[in-house]
Amino acid sequence: MTDKIHYFILGVCCIIGTLSVIPYIYFLGVIPPQISLEYYIFLSISQSTLLYFLILGMSAYLIPKTDLKPFHLKGVLLSVSIGIIAGILVLFLNKFWSYPVPHLGTAPPAWAGALASLYGAFNEEVSLRLFLFSAMYLLLQKIKIAKGAALWIANILVAIAFGMGHLPLASQLSPLSREVVTRILVLNGIPGLAFGWLYWSRGIYSAILAHFTADILLHVLPPLFHFL
């Protein structure tokens, strides 16, 4: 399979991911009331198609300039195991480092959480790991940072960006105090580091698989068992 086919498949997966997260957003009640659900879906698909194929196009330009090999899948069991560990760790930390969140709508059911996990796996990994990680890694190597250091610096910066990417939605659910922001950055940054390591060492599909596994634990188990 050529790299072009991989990029096309990932683009289609990102559109699927965009559609999959809509029920989760709907139940949270953060869709602006002046926008109909049908128009919101149309807008989401249109923006997603443009955005992610642009991101994938830029990734296709940048990645060949690096020594990254993103389109191989190694260590399926390892990826799933890391996803499980990351999910359990975040659930554990969330249990003892929680804060009250006034739901604006209905708490999303387990099936909506399962669908939303596709967004995290596809859209976030494509934008953050395949594109942003690769771009930062290339920039760091251009300024003569050693490979090992460049990989970890890029990984840390992207993990921080991963956490910051969750702040807009969080701000619609609760005021962003210093504690809330720190919590979001830490709880997302820890798995983000693991996904970044998987990306550069085992490819984008390994990172996607680990992210999906972690999100299934985070979004499906709490509604089912009500322990958070």
Coordinates of all heavy atoms in Angstrom, one line a residue, residues 159-228:
A159 N 2.3 16.8 23.6 CA 1.5 16.4 24.7 C 0.9 17.6 25.4 O -0.3 17.5 25.8 CB 2.4 15.6 25.7
I160 N 1.6 18.7 25.6 CA 1.1 19.9 26.2 C 0.0 20.5 25.3 O -1.1 20.8 25.7 CB 2.2 20.9 26.4 CG1 3.1 20.5 27.5 CG2 1.6 22.3 26.8 CD1 4.4 21.3 27.6
A161 N 0.2 20.5 23.9 CA -0.8 20.9 23.0 C -2.0 20.1 23.0 O -3.2 20.5 22.9 CB -0.2 21.0 21.6
F162 N -1.8 18.8 23.2 CA -2.9 17.8 23.3 C -3.8 18.2 24.5 O -5.1 18.2 24.4 CB -2.4 16.4 23.5 CG -3.4 15.3 23.7 CD1 -4.5 15.2 22.8 CD2 -3.2 14.4 24.7 CE1 -5.4 14.2 23.0 CE2 -4.1 13.4 24.9 CZ -5.2 13.3 24.0
G163 N -3.2 18.5 25.7 CA -4.0 18.9 26.8 C -4.7 20.2 26.6 O -5.8 20.4 26.9
M164 N -4.0 21.2 26.0 CA -4.6 22.5 25.7 C -5.7 22.4 24.8 O -6.7 23.2 24.8 CB -3.5 23.5 25.2 CG -2.4 23.8 26.2 SD -1.1 24.9 25.5 CE -2.1 26.4 25.1
G165 N -5.7 21.4 23.9 CA -6.8 21.3 22.9 C -8.1 20.9 23.6 O -9.2 21.0 23.0
H166 N -8.1 20.4 24.8 CA -9.3 20.1 25.6 C -9.8 21.2 26.4 O -10.9 21.1 26.9 CB -9.0 18.9 26.5 CG -8.7 17.6 25.8 ND1 -7.5 17.3 25.2 CD2 -9.5 16.5 25.5 CE1 -7.6 16.1 24.7 NE2 -8.8 15.6 24.8
L167 N -9.1 22.3 26.4 CA -9.6 23.5 27.2 C -10.8 24.2 26.7 O -11.7 24.5 27.5 CB -8.4 24.5 27.4 CG -7.2 24.0 28.2 CD1 -6.2 25.1 28.2 CD2 -7.6 23.6 29.6
P168 N -11.0 24.3 25.4 CA -12.2 25.0 24.9 C -13.5 24.3 25.3 O -14.4 25.0 25.8 CB -12.0 25.0 23.4 CG -10.5 25.0 23.2 CD -10.0 24.1 24.3
L169 N -13.5 23.0 25.1 CA -14.8 22.3 25.6 C -14.9 22.3 27.1 O -16.0 22.5 27.6 CB -14.7 20.8 25.1 CG -15.9 19.9 25.5 CD1 -17.2 20.5 25.0 CD2 -15.7 18.5 25.0
A170 N -13.8 22.2 27.8 CA -13.8 22.2 29.3 C -14.4 23.6 29.8 O -15.1 23.6 30.8 CB -12.5 22.0 29.9
S171 N -14.0 24.7 29.0 CA -14.5 26.0 29.5 C -16.0 26.1 29.3 O -16.6 27.0 30.0 CB -13.8 27.1 28.6 OG -14.2 27.0 27.3
Q172 N -16.6 25.3 28.5 CA -18.1 25.4 28.3 C -18.8 24.6 29.4 O -20.0 24.7 29.6 CB -18.5 24.9 27.0 CG -17.9 25.7 25.8 CD -18.4 25.2 24.5 OE1 -19.6 25.1 24.2 NE2 -17.4 24.8 23.6
L173 N -18.0 23.8 30.2 CA -18.6 22.9 31.2 C -18.3 23.4 32.6 O -19.0 23.1 33.5 CB -18.1 21.5 31.1 CG -18.3 20.8 29.7 CD1 -17.7 19.4 29.7 CD2 -19.8 20.6 29.5
S174 N -17.2 24.2 32.8 CA -16.8 24.6 34.1 C -15.8 25.8 33.9 O -15.1 25.9 32.9 CB -16.1 23.5 34.9 OG -15.7 23.9 36.1
P175 N -15.8 26.8 34.9 CA -14.8 27.9 34.8 C -13.4 27.3 34.8 O -13.1 26.4 35.6 CB -15.1 28.7 36.0 CG -16.6 28.3 36.4 CD -16.8 26.9 36.0
L176 N -12.5 27.9 34.0 CA -11.2 27.4 33.9 C -10.3 28.1 35.0 O -9.6 29.0 34.7 CB -10.6 27.7 32.5 CG -11.2 26.9 31.4 CD1 -10.5 27.3 30.1 CD2 -11.1 25.4 31.6
S177 N -10.3 27.5 36.2 CA -9.4 27.9 37.2 C -8.0 27.4 37.0 O -7.8 26.5 36.1 CB -9.9 27.5 38.6 OG -9.9 26.0 38.7
R178 N -7.1 27.8 37.8 CA -5.7 27.3 37.6 C -5.7 25.8 37.9 O -5.0 25.0 37.2 CB -4.8 28.0 38.6 CG -3.3 27.5 38.5 CD -2.4 28.3 39.5 NE -2.4 29.7 39.2 CZ -1.8 30.6 39.9 NH1 -1.1 30.2 41.0 NH2 -1.8 31.9 39.6
E179 N -6.4 25.3 38.9 CA -6.5 23.9 39.2 C -7.1 23.1 38.1 O -6.6 22.0 37.8 CB -7.2 23.7 40.5 CG -7.3 22.2 40.9 CD -8.1 21.9 42.2 OE1 -8.6 22.9 42.7 OE2 -8.2 20.8 42.5
V180 N -8.2 23.6 37.5 CA -8.8 22.9 36.4 C -7.9 22.8 35.2 O -7.8 21.7 34.6 CB -10.1 23.6 36.0 CG1 -10.7 23.0 34.8 CG2 -11.2 23.5 37.2
V181 N -7.2 23.9 34.9 CA -6.3 23.8 33.7 C -5.2 22.9 34.0 O -4.8 22.1 33.1 CB -5.8 25.3 33.4 CG1 -4.7 25.2 32.4 CG2 -6.9 26.2 33.0
T182 N -4.6 22.9 35.2 CA -3.5 22.0 35.5 C -3.9 20.6 35.4 O -3.2 19.7 34.9 CB -3.0 22.3 36.9 OG1 -2.5 23.7 37.0 CG2 -1.8 21.4 37.3
R183 N -5.1 20.3 35.9 CA -5.7 18.9 35.9 C -5.8 18.4 34.5 O -5.4 17.3 34.1 CB -7.0 18.9 36.7 CG -7.7 17.6 36.6 CD -9.1 17.7 37.2 NE -9.9 16.5 37.1 CZ -10.6 16.2 36.1 NH1 -10.6 17.0 35.0 NH2 -11.3 15.0 36.1
I184 N -6.4 19.3 33.6 CA -6.6 18.9 32.2 C -5.3 18.6 31.5 O -5.2 17.7 30.8 CB -7.5 20.0 31.5 CG1 -8.9 20.0 32.1 CG2 -7.5 19.7 30.0 CD1 -9.7 21.1 31.6
L185 N -4.3 19.5 31.8 CA -3.0 19.4 31.1 C -2.3 18.1 31.5 O -1.8 17.3 30.7 CB -2.1 20.6 31.4 CG -2.6 21.9 30.7 CD1 -1.6 23.0 31.1 CD2 -2.7 21.8 29.2
V186 N -2.4 17.8 32.8 CA -1.7 16.6 33.4 C -2.4 15.3 32.9 O -1.8 14.4 32.4 CB -1.7 16.6 34.9 CG1 -1.2 15.3 35.5 CG2 -0.7 17.8 35.4
L187 N -3.8 15.3 33.0 CA -4.5 14.1 32.7 C -4.5 13.7 31.2 O -4.7 12.6 30.9 CB -6.0 14.2 33.2 CG -6.2 13.6 34.6 CD1 -5.4 14.2 35.7 CD2 -7.7 13.6 35.0
N188 N -4.3 14.8 30.4 CA -4.2 14.5 29.0 C -2.8 14.4 28.5 O -2.5 13.7 27.6 CB -4.9 15.6 28.2 CG -6.4 15.5 28.2 OD1 -7.0 14.7 27.6 ND2 -7.0 16.4 29.0
G189 N -1.9 15.1 29.3 CA -0.5 15.1 28.9 C 0.2 13.7 29.1 O 1.0 13.3 28.3
I190 N -0.2 13.0 30.2 CA 0.4 11.7 30.5 C 0.2 10.7 29.3 O 1.1 10.1 28.8 CB 0.0 11.2 31.8 CG1 0.5 12.1 32.9 CG2 0.4 9.7 32.0 CD1 0.0 11.7 34.3
P191 N -1.1 10.5 29.0 CA -1.3 9.5 27.8 C -0.8 10.1 26.5 O -0.3 9.3 25.7 CB -2.8 9.4 27.8 CG -3.4 10.5 28.5 CD -2.4 10.9 29.6
G192 N -0.8 11.4 26.4 CA -0.2 12.0 25.2 C 1.3 11.7 25.0 O 1.7 11.4 23.8
L193 N 2.0 11.6 26.0 CA 3.4 11.2 25.9 C 3.5 9.8 25.4 O 4.4 9.5 24.6 CB 4.1 11.4 27.3 CG 4.4 12.8 27.8 CD1 4.9 12.8 29.2 CD2 5.4 13.5 26.8
A194 N 2.7 8.9 26.0 CA 2.7 7.5 25.5 C 2.3 7.4 24.1 O 3.0 6.6 23.3 CB 1.7 6.7 26.4
F195 N 1.3 8.1 23.6 CA 0.9 8.0 22.2 C 2.0 8.6 21.3 O 2.2 8.0 20.2 CB -0.4 8.8 22.0 CG -1.6 8.4 22.9 CD1 -2.6 9.3 23.3 CD2 -1.6 7.1 23.4 CE1 -3.6 8.9 24.1 CE2 -2.7 6.7 24.2 CZ -3.7 7.6 24.6
G196 N 2.7 9.6 21.8 CA 3.8 10.2 21.0 C 4.9 9.2 20.8 O 5.5 9.0 19.7
W197 N 5.2 8.5 21.9 CA 6.3 7.5 21.8 C 5.9 6.4 20.9 O 6.7 5.9 20.1 CB 6.6 6.9 23.2 CG 7.6 5.8 23.2 CD1 9.0 6.0 23.1 CD2 7.3 4.4 23.3 NE1 9.6 4.7 23.1 CE2 8.6 3.8 23.2 CE3 6.2 3.7 23.4 CZ2 8.7 2.4 23.2 CZ3 6.3 2.3 23.4 CH2 7.5 1.6 23.3
L198 N 4.7 5.9 20.9 CA 4.2 4.9 20.0 C 4.3 5.4 18.6 O 4.7 4.6 17.7 CB 2.8 4.5 20.4 CG 2.6 3.5 21.6 CD1 1.1 3.4 21.9 CD2 3.2 2.2 21.3
Y199 N 3.9 6.6 18.3 CA 4.0 7.1 17.0 C 5.4 7.1 16.4 O 5.5 6.6 15.3 CB 3.5 8.6 17.0 CG 3.7 9.3 15.6 CD1 3.2 8.7 14.5 CD2 4.5 10.4 15.5 CE1 3.4 9.3 13.2 CE2 4.8 11.0 14.3 CZ 4.2 10.4 13.1 OH 4.5 11.0 11.9
W200 N 6.4 7.6 17.1 CA 7.7 7.6 16.5 C 8.3 6.3 16.4 O 9.2 6.0 15.6 CB 8.6 8.7 17.1 CG 9.5 8.3 18.2 CD1 10.5 7.3 18.1 CD2 9.6 8.8 19.5 NE1 11.2 7.2 19.3 CE2 10.6 8.1 20.2 CE3 8.8 9.7 20.2 CZ2 11.0 8.3 21.5 CZ3 9.2 10.0 21.5 CH2 10.2 9.3 22.2
S201 N 8.0 5.4 17.4 CA 8.7 4.1 17.4 C 7.9 3.0 16.7 O 8.6 2.0 16.2 CB 8.9 3.7 18.9 OG 7.6 3.5 19.5
R202 N 6.6 3.1 16.6 CA 5.8 2.0 16.0 C 4.8 2.5 15.0 O 4.0 1.7 14.4 CB 5.1 1.2 17.1 CG 6.1 0.3 17.8 CD 5.6 -0.2 19.1 NE 6.5 -1.2 19.7 CZ 7.7 -0.9 20.3 NH1 8.0 0.4 20.4 NH2 8.5 -1.8 20.7
G203 N 4.7 3.8 14.7 CA 3.8 4.2 13.6 C 2.5 4.8 14.1 O 2.1 4.6 15.3
I204 N 1.8 5.5 13.2 CA 0.6 6.2 13.5 C -0.5 5.3 13.9 O -1.4 5.6 14.8 CB 0.1 7.1 12.4 CG1 -1.0 8.0 12.8 CG2 -0.2 6.3 11.1 CD1 -0.8 9.0 13.9
Y205 N -0.6 4.1 13.3 CA -1.7 3.1 13.6 C -1.5 2.6 15.1 O -2.6 2.3 15.7 CB -1.7 2.0 12.6 CG -2.0 2.5 11.2 CD1 -1.1 2.3 10.2 CD2 -3.2 3.1 10.9 CE1 -1.3 2.8 8.9 CE2 -3.5 3.6 9.7 CZ -2.5 3.4 8.6 OH -2.8 3.9 7.4
S206 N -0.3 2.5 15.5 CA -0.1 2.0 16.9 C -0.6 3.1 17.9 O -1.3 2.8 18.9 CB 1.3 1.7 17.2 OG 1.8 0.6 16.5
A207 N -0.3 4.4 17.6 CA -0.8 5.5 18.4 C -2.3 5.6 18.4 O -3.0 5.8 19.4 CB -0.2 6.8 17.9
I208 N -2.9 5.4 17.2 CA -4.4 5.4 17.0 C -5.0 4.3 17.9 O -6.0 4.5 18.6 CB -4.8 5.2 15.6 CG1 -4.5 6.5 14.8 CG2 -6.2 4.9 15.4 CD1 -4.7 6.4 13.3
L209 N -4.4 3.1 17.8 CA -5.0 2.0 18.6 C -4.9 2.2 20.1 O -5.9 1.9 20.8 CB -4.2 0.7 18.2 CG -4.7 -0.6 18.8 CD1 -6.2 -0.9 18.5 CD2 -3.9 -1.8 18.3
A210 N -3.8 2.7 20.5 CA -3.7 3.0 22.0 C -4.6 4.1 22.4 O -5.2 4.0 23.5 CB -2.2 3.4 22.3
H211 N -4.7 5.1 21.6 CA -5.6 6.2 22.0 C -7.1 5.7 22.0 O -7.8 6.1 22.9 CB -5.5 7.3 20.9 CG -6.0 8.6 21.4 ND1 -5.5 9.8 21.0 CD2 -7.1 9.0 22.2 CE1 -6.2 10.8 21.5 NE2 -7.2 10.3 22.2
F212 N -7.5 4.9 21.0 CA -8.8 4.4 21.0 C -9.1 3.5 22.2 O -10.2 3.6 22.9 CB -9.1 3.6 19.7 CG -10.4 3.0 19.6 CD1 -11.5 3.7 19.4 CD2 -10.6 1.6 19.8 CE1 -12.8 3.2 19.3 CE2 -11.9 1.0 19.7 CZ -13.0 1.8 19.5
T213 N -8.2 2.7 22.6 CA -8.3 1.8 23.7 C -8.5 2.6 25.0 O -9.4 2.4 25.8 CB -7.1 0.9 23.9 OG1 -6.9 0.1 22.7 CG2 -7.3 -0.1 25.0
A214 N -7.6 3.6 25.2 CA -7.7 4.5 26.4 C -9.1 5.2 26.4 O -9.7 5.3 27.5 CB -6.6 5.5 26.4
D215 N -9.5 5.8 25.3 CA -10.7 6.5 25.3 C -12.0 5.6 25.5 O -13.0 6.1 26.1 CB -10.9 7.2 23.9 CG -10.2 8.6 23.9 OD1 -9.5 8.9 24.9 OD2 -10.3 9.3 22.9
I216 N -11.9 4.4 25.1 CA -13.0 3.5 25.4 C -13.1 3.3 26.9 O -14.3 3.3 27.5 CB -12.8 2.1 24.7 CG1 -13.1 2.2 23.2 CG2 -13.7 1.0 25.3 CD1 -14.5 2.4 22.8
L217 N -12.0 3.1 27.6 CA -12.1 3.0 29.0 C -12.6 4.3 29.7 O -13.4 4.3 30.6 CB -10.7 2.7 29.6 CG -10.1 1.4 29.3 CD1 -8.7 1.2 29.8 CD2 -10.9 0.2 29.8
L218 N -12.2 5.5 29.2 CA -12.5 6.7 29.8 C -14.0 7.2 29.5 O -14.6 7.8 30.3 CB -11.6 7.8 29.3 CG -10.1 7.7 29.7 CD1 -9.2 8.7 29.0 CD2 -9.9 7.8 31.2
H219 N -14.4 6.9 28.3 CA -15.8 7.3 27.9 C -16.9 6.3 28.0 O -18.0 6.7 28.0 CB -15.7 7.8 26.4 CG -14.9 9.0 26.2 ND1 -15.0 10.2 27.0 CD2 -13.9 9.3 25.3 CE1 -14.1 11.1 26.6 NE2 -13.4 10.5 25.6
V220 N -16.5 5.0 28.1 CA -17.5 4.0 28.2 C -17.7 3.4 29.6 O -18.9 3.2 30.0 CB -17.2 2.9 27.2 CG1 -18.2 1.7 27.3 CG2 -17.2 3.4 25.8
L221 N -16.6 3.2 30.3 CA -16.8 2.6 31.6 C -17.5 3.5 32.6 O -18.4 3.0 33.3 CB -15.4 2.2 32.1 CG -14.7 1.0 31.5 CD1 -13.4 0.7 32.2 CD2 -15.6 -0.2 31.4
P222 N -17.2 4.8 32.7 CA -17.9 5.6 33.7 C -19.4 5.6 33.6 O -20.1 5.5 34.6 CB -17.2 7.0 33.6 CG -15.9 6.7 33.0 CD -16.0 5.5 32.1
P223 N -19.9 5.8 32.4 CA -21.4 5.8 32.3 C -22.0 4.5 32.6 O -23.1 4.4 33.1 CB -21.6 6.2 30.8 CG -20.4 6.9 30.4 CD -19.3 6.3 31.1
L224 N -21.2 3.4 32.3 CA -21.8 2.1 32.6 C -21.8 1.7 34.1 O -22.8 1.2 34.6 CB -21.0 1.0 31.9 CG -21.2 0.9 30.4 CD1 -20.2 -0.2 29.8 CD2 -22.6 0.5 30.0
F225 N -20.7 2.1 34.8 CA -20.6 1.7 36.2 C -20.7 2.8 37.2 O -20.8 2.6 38.4 CB -19.2 1.0 36.4 CG -19.1 -0.2 35.6 CD1 -18.3 -0.2 34.4 CD2 -19.8 -1.4 35.9 CE1 -18.2 -1.4 33.6 CE2 -19.7 -2.5 35.1 CZ -18.9 -2.5 34.0
H226 N -20.8 4.1 36.7 CA -21.0 5.2 37.6 C -20.1 5.3 38.7 O -20.5 5.6 39.8 CB -22.5 5.2 38.1 CG -23.5 5.1 37.0 ND1 -23.8 6.1 36.2 CD2 -24.3 4.0 36.7 CE1 -24.8 5.7 35.3 NE2 -25.1 4.5 35.6
F227 N -18.8 5.1 38.5 CA -17.8 5.2 39.6 C -17.0 6.5 39.5 O -16.1 6.6 40.3 CB -16.9 4.0 39.6 CG -16.1 3.7 38.4 CD1 -14.9 4.5 38.1 CD2 -16.5 2.8 37.5 CE1 -14.2 4.3 37.0 CE2 -15.7 2.6 36.3 CZ -14.6 3.3 36.1
L228 N -17.4 7.4 38.6 CA -16.7 8.7 38.6 C -17.8 9.7 38.9 O -18.9 9.6 38.5 CB -16.1 8.9 37.2 CG -14.8 8.1 37.0 CD1 -14.3 8.4 35.6 CD2 -13.8 8.4 38.0

